[in-house]
Amino acid sequence: MRDKLSLSVCALLFCGVMLTSLVYAATPLENAATKAQAGQAALDESRTLAVAGDQEGAQKKYLESKAQFKQAVLLCQALQPEKFSSLKDASLYAETMETTGEYDLAARGYEHAHRLDPTTPKLALLAGRNWRRVGEKYHDRALSLLLPIVKDEHANDATLHAETFTELGRLYQVQGLYTLASDSYASALSAETAPIEARIGNALMQ
């Protein structure tokens, strides 16, 4: 009797575990995010090993990171960022694509996330940053996202403004608009929380 009871309890526990697994099964997007995070961790370790002089170990970790990133991108291949109705999913997609280096997809994801939540200018900053990374063809698009942030008279987030002016500086710099770039870096440096990129950019403008 006791053995039968034990078997019944085990069977119930097994069914419970299986049901939980089905209920909480990760989505392709969540699996992709996990792969991207693993890839970033491997890439960070690769850089650490390279600095330590272990070139073989660094190369191994680098290849591991590339494989993880590739899997993350493949998992998201069928997804269209503009179709997300959830801000959480749109943001997760954008973050995942940014981590893997797919900056065009990341920019689309962040831009859509900003449409879903226009009260969060940081999303516009992230979209603009990634459009800048994509290349010259999308510089105007990046500018259209970045300029409204620094022109918002009601915004009082000094860190956000410093980051945005830094992005504007980098954008103007690659366009050869050095006076605008220098002015943007200077505006970024007026904040106590100025990014290191603003200091580097400003030094290059001297």
Side-chain angles (χ1 to χ4, degrees):
M1 183 67 180
R2 183 177 297 176
D3 290 342
K4 289 183 178 179
L5 182 60
S6 297
L7 286 172
S8 297
V9 170
C10 288
L12 286 170
L13 288 172
F14 176 76
C15 289
V17 169
M18 292 299 293
L19 182 60
T20 301
S21 298
L22 289 172
V23 171
Y24 294 104
T27 65
L29 177 56
E30 290 169 337
N31 284 330
T34 299
K35 294 288 185 183
Q37 290 164 7
Q40 185 60 56
L43 184 59
D44 291 342
E45 190 172 350
S46 171
R47 290 166 177 162
T48 300
L49 291 170
V51 171
D54 184 356
Q55 299 304 321
E56 184 178 345
Q59 178 67 7
K60 182 178 179 180
K61 281 295 175 183
Y62 174 76
L63 293 175
E64 180 184 326
S65 74
K66 298 294 284 185
Q68 294 282 10
F69 289 154
K70 183 177 181 179
Q71 289 179 45
V73 173
L74 287 173
L75 283 166
C76 289
Q77 201 168 34
L79 302 177
Q80 297 182 45
E82 293 83 6
K83 298 293 185 181
F84 289 118
S85 59
S86 160
L87 174 62
K88 178 182 177 182
D89 287 346
S91 298
L92 182 60
Y93 174 90
E95 291 166 8
T96 300
M97 292 299 95
E98 184 174 20
T99 301
T100 63
E102 298 290 333
Y103 298 131
D104 57 331
L105 296 176
R108 286 170 57 192
Y110 283 126
E111 197 167 354
H112 181 59
H114 186 243
R115 284 194 291 269
L116 293 173
D117 181 14
T119 63
T120 303
K122 181 63 180 279
L123 294 169
L125 165 61
L126 293 169
R129 175 180 295 164
N130 281 281
W131 282 128
R132 173 185 62 77
R133 288 166 164 169
V134 175
E136 183 179 355
K137 182 179 177 180
Y138 295 96
H139 284 175
D140 286 344
R141 193 164 180 174
L143 203 60
S144 71
L145 288 157
L146 298 170
L147 282 176
I149 301 173
V150 296
K151 290 181 177 178
D152 185 356
E153 297 177 357
H154 302 289
N156 56 4
D157 189 333
T159 299
L160 176 66
H161 272 201
E163 291 180 358
T164 306
F165 273 119
T166 301
E167 283 303 318
L168 285 168
R170 298 172 84 174
L171 183 57
Y172 290 136
Q173 187 174 349
V174 297
Q175 291 178 317
L177 302 173
Y178 300 121
T179 299
L180 288 173
S182 182
D183 290 346
S184 296
Y185 288 134
S187 295
L189 291 172
S190 66
E192 293 182 2
T193 54
I196 185 63
E197 291 84 359
R199 301 184 188 283
I200 295 172
N202 188 60
L204 291 173
M205 292 294 98
Q206 304 305 312

